[in-house]
Amino acid sequence: RQQAAMAASEEDEAEKKEEEELRQRFMAPPVSGLRELRRRRRELRSRMELLIMETQGEVCRALAALDPGASFAVDTWERKEGGGGISCVLQDGDVFEKAGVNVSVVSGLLSEEAARQMRSRGKSLKAKDGKLPFCAMGVSSVIHPKNPHVPTMHFNYRYFEIEEADGTKQWWFGGGTDLTPTYLNEEDAIHFHKTLKEACDKHDLKLYPKYKKWCDDYFYIKHRGERRGIGGIFFDDMDSPSKEEVFQFVKSCAKAVVPCYIPIVKRHCHDSFTPEEKLWQQLRRGRYVEFNLVYDRGTKFGLLTPGSRIESILMSLPLTARWEYMHTPPESSKEAEILEVLRNPKDWVH
C-alpha cells in the first residue's frame, strides 16, 4: 500500500511538473483547460490545440526578443456559442508596427452562410434539420514591421471538424506561410522558400511545388492583376493520407515559421530607409488590406460565424496604409522590380 501511495505521489508530481512546463511555453491558459487537454492528450483535437498554443508562444517570444522595448498585450476571450481564444498583439514597437498572433478554439453550429461558402468549394455537407455541429481551431498571425526593408509575414494553421446528419465526421486541415516584401531581396526570398520546402520535403517531395503554386494562385488580387506577396505555401481541405500523417505535416510547417522569418528580420530591421521607401511600403500595405477584406477565406469565414471576435479577425490589418490615385512607379525602379515578381511568380529554390 505504501509503495502504491509513493507511486501515486510521484505520478502526481510528474503531472504538476509537466503542467508547469506547458504553462511556461504558453502565452495564457489554453481554451480547453490544461487538465482537460492532458486528460485527452492522445486525441488529435487536444494535440492540435497544444500545437497551436506552443506555436503562439514560440512566435511571440521570438518577436519580443527582437523588439525589447515593446510587449505583447495578451487578451483572452470567450465565445458564448462555444469556445474562445487568445489574442496576442504588439503595437508601436521599435521593430514591429503591429504584430498579432492569435489562437482560437471554437465550436457550435455552422451558420448557413459559412456552410454555403464551404459547399461552394466542393464540400458535401449533409445537415440535420438545417444544423451542422462543428469544431474549429487554429493559430493565425500577421506581422507588419516598421522598416520597409523587412517583409510582412503571415501564417495560419488550422483544423476543422464537422458532424453530419448521420453522425459521420468530416475533418480537414488547412494553412500556410507566406511573405510580403515591400522591396525584393532575392537572398531573403530564397531563404524563406528553402526553409518551407525543407519542412514539406520531410513528408513528401511533391508537397512543396504543389502548395507553392496553390499559394501563388490563392493570394491573387484579381482586380489588380498581382499577387499579395512572393508566396510560400498554402493548402486547404487536406484530409489524406491519414489524420496522423497530415497532423505531423502541419506540425513541421508550424515549426518552420520562426526559422523561415526571424533571420530576415534580424538582417534588415536596422537598415536605413528614405521617406520615399516608407511611402511605397504604405501603398503596398493598401494592397494587403484589399486582399484581406475582399478575398481572404479566413476573414470571410470569421465574419460569417456568429459570435466571432471581430477585433481578432481584423488583427491582420496594418495600423497604417495608403491609397493614391493612379500611382505608377518609374520603369526600372526597385518599386517596379517587386511589381514584376508579383505579376509573374518565380521559382525560388531551383
Side-chain angles (χ1 to χ4, degrees), residues 124-139:
S124 164
L125 303 175
K126 297 181 278 294
K128 183 178 182 180
D129 301 325
K131 294 176 180 176
L132 276 166
F134 81 97
C135 164
M137 62 182 69
V139 57

Side-chain angles (χ1 to χ4, degrees), residues 7 31 33 46 50 55 57 69 74 94 135 152 162 174 191 205-206 215 231 247 265 273 283 285-286 299 308:
V31 174
S46 296
L50 286 168
T55 302
V74 180
D94 295 327
C135 164
T152 285
I162 285 182
H191 165 80
L205 296 179
K206 296 174 185 170
C215 189
F247 173 72
V265 181
F273 58 88
L283 291 167
R285 283 188 182 162
T299 303
S308 290

Side-chain angles (χ1 to χ4, degrees), residues 142-145 147-155 177-185 188-189 192-193 215 219 221 226-232 261 264 280-281 283-289 291-292 338 342:
V142 178
I143 300 157
H144 294 291
N147 194 310
H149 298 295
V150 181
T152 285
M153 196 267 284
H154 157 261
F155 75 88
T177 304
D178 62 280
L179 198 69
T180 304
T182 301
Y183 289 97
L184 182 64
N185 182 299
D188 295 342
F192 185 80
H193 278 269
C215 189
F219 290 105
I221 309 171
E226 62 194 44
R227 275 79 192 163
R228 188 178 75 176
I230 61 164
Y261 182 60
I264 296 173
W280 179 244
Q281 181 193 48
L283 291 167
R284 296 315 307 166
R285 283 188 182 162
R287 297 286 207 269
Y288 205 93
V289 171
F291 178 86
N292 281 29
I338 187 72
L342 299 179

